[in-house]
Amino acid sequence: MDRVWLFYAIQVAASGYALLRGGAPERLTGLALLVAAVATGIVQRNIPVLFAGLEASVMIVDLLLLAVLVAITLKADRFWIAWATALHALGTGAHFVRVLSPDVMRLVYALLSAAWSYPIVLLLVIGTLRHSRRIRAHGCDLDWSRQDPTFR
């Protein structure tokens, strides 16, 4: 259980950094990741044995987070968020693996669904750091992609 609290500490620090120093995509992603981490912790408290069966509540949280990350990816003028979204899609896919093959080992299901969280948080920190550097170097950084129909 210590690793869970360690992850929460890392997530709070990364999200706090994104909220303080990031642009709109970093702030939204940091907030979404933090809300998803808290929501996952809340819904998992009601599960007597974790990952013994399909974690339906966790799957719903993951699907909602995936929808938010896809929306941010489609609008943001950032490349890192696409990687974070792809990694989260892999983790979300673990739930579907469990549905298709219920005999998947408990440990494998847990690792497949949770292991991607750490690199996603690292991408958030790197994205925020790069945004801060662009602001310092150029004085501005475009948050959202331009939606100019004449731009090709």
Side-chain angles (χ1 to χ4, degrees):
M1 213 41 147
D2 291 339
R3 64 180 163 58
V4 173
W5 289 107
L6 175 63
F7 176 75
Y8 286 151
I10 293 168
Q11 181 65 68
V12 166
S15 292
Y17 178 57
L19 290 169
L20 289 174
R21 299 278 185 217
E26 290 82 15
R27 290 192 308 267
L28 285 173
T29 303
L31 187 60
L33 292 173
L34 188 59
V35 168
V38 169
T40 299
I42 290 170
V43 299
Q44 279 186 331
R45 276 196 285 201
N46 298 327
I47 301 170
V49 180
L50 294 176
F51 301 104
L54 175 67
E55 304 284 339
S57 301
V58 176
M59 183 177 77
I60 291 169
V61 171
D62 284 345
L63 286 169
L64 290 171
L65 177 59
L66 184 60
V68 169
L69 292 177
V70 166
I72 295 170
T73 300
L74 292 175
K75 296 291 182 181
D77 191 32
R78 305 282 193 274
F79 190 70
W80 71 268
I81 187 67
W83 283 98
T85 303
L87 290 174
H88 184 67
L90 289 172
T92 304
H95 299 293
F96 296 106
V97 169
R98 185 61 166 200
V99 168
L100 294 173
S101 181
D103 58 335
V104 169
M105 290 176 38
R106 200 173 136 198
L107 178 62
V108 172
Y109 178 34
L111 284 173
L112 283 174
S113 64
W116 307 108
S117 303
Y118 292 93
I120 291 169
V121 172
L122 179 62
L123 285 169
L124 173 64
V125 170
I126 291 169
T128 303
L129 180 63
R130 293 190 62 196
H131 169 76
S132 280
R133 288 182 179 169
R134 286 190 298 270
I135 291 289
R136 277 194 303 262
H138 307 292
C140 66
D141 188 25
L142 184 64
D143 285 338
W144 305 110
S145 296
R146 296 176 197 254
Q147 299 299 314
D148 184 358
T150 61
F151 181 73
R152 294 179 192 235

